[in-house]
Amino acid sequence: MTESALETDRAAGALPNRGSDSHAVAARFSALSHPARIEILKHLSASNSCCCREVVDRFDLAQSTVSQHLKILVEAGLVRFESDRQRSRYAVDRAALADVSASLNALVNSCCSGR
């Protein structure tokens, strides 16, 4: 179903108005949909924070690729960005990851509770 179809159905009362929550959860799941971003999150989780160069050195990816993956993770709210003089620092937002876990758990429970 397209976004405009969802909005039309919601306006007509066919869908509950949980769109903003669903959109936020979907954005976070989307950010987790690439294996490199999963590995970057694991790497960031092992330290307080890292600069982009430290992530690049850890993986066989170009600096521009790592920057793009970090940007997606930051935009999804899964990673925090802090400007630190000449380098940017990135850190996992553990509360946001806990929210993703809770959202997935709630989804699985609601879909599988009839078993």
Side-chain angles (χ1 to χ4, degrees), residues 48-76:
N48 277 341
S49 68
C50 294
C51 68
C52 185
R53 170 57 40 200
E54 293 167 324
V55 178
V56 169
D57 290 346
R58 173 79 165 90
F59 300 101
D60 188 26
L61 297 170
Q63 187 275 331
S64 60
T65 302
V66 170
S67 291
Q68 184 62 32
H69 285 308
L70 287 167
K71 178 183 176 196
I72 290 167
L73 291 167
V74 168
E75 287 174 350

Side-chain angles (χ1 to χ4, degrees), residues 23-99:
H23 285 280
V25 170
R28 287 183 170 172
F29 286 161
S30 178
L32 294 170
S33 69
H34 195 286
R37 290 194 285 271
I38 301 272
E39 292 302 315
I40 289 169
L41 275 175
K42 288 179 186 178
H43 179 68
L44 293 175
S45 293
S47 64
N48 277 341
S49 68
C50 294
C51 68
C52 185
R53 170 57 40 200
E54 293 167 324
V55 178
V56 169
D57 290 346
R58 173 79 165 90
F59 300 101
D60 188 26
L61 297 170
Q63 187 275 331
S64 60
T65 302
V66 170
S67 291
Q68 184 62 32
H69 285 308
L70 287 167
K71 178 183 176 196
I72 290 167
L73 291 167
V74 168
E75 287 174 350
L78 298 171
V79 169
R80 291 186 315 273
F81 166 82
E82 298 172 12
S83 182
D84 182 23
R85 295 187 195 134
Q86 295 178 345
R87 292 187 176 182
S88 301
R89 306 291 297 176
Y90 297 89
V92 170
D93 187 329
R94 296 181 194 285
L97 279 178
D99 287 345

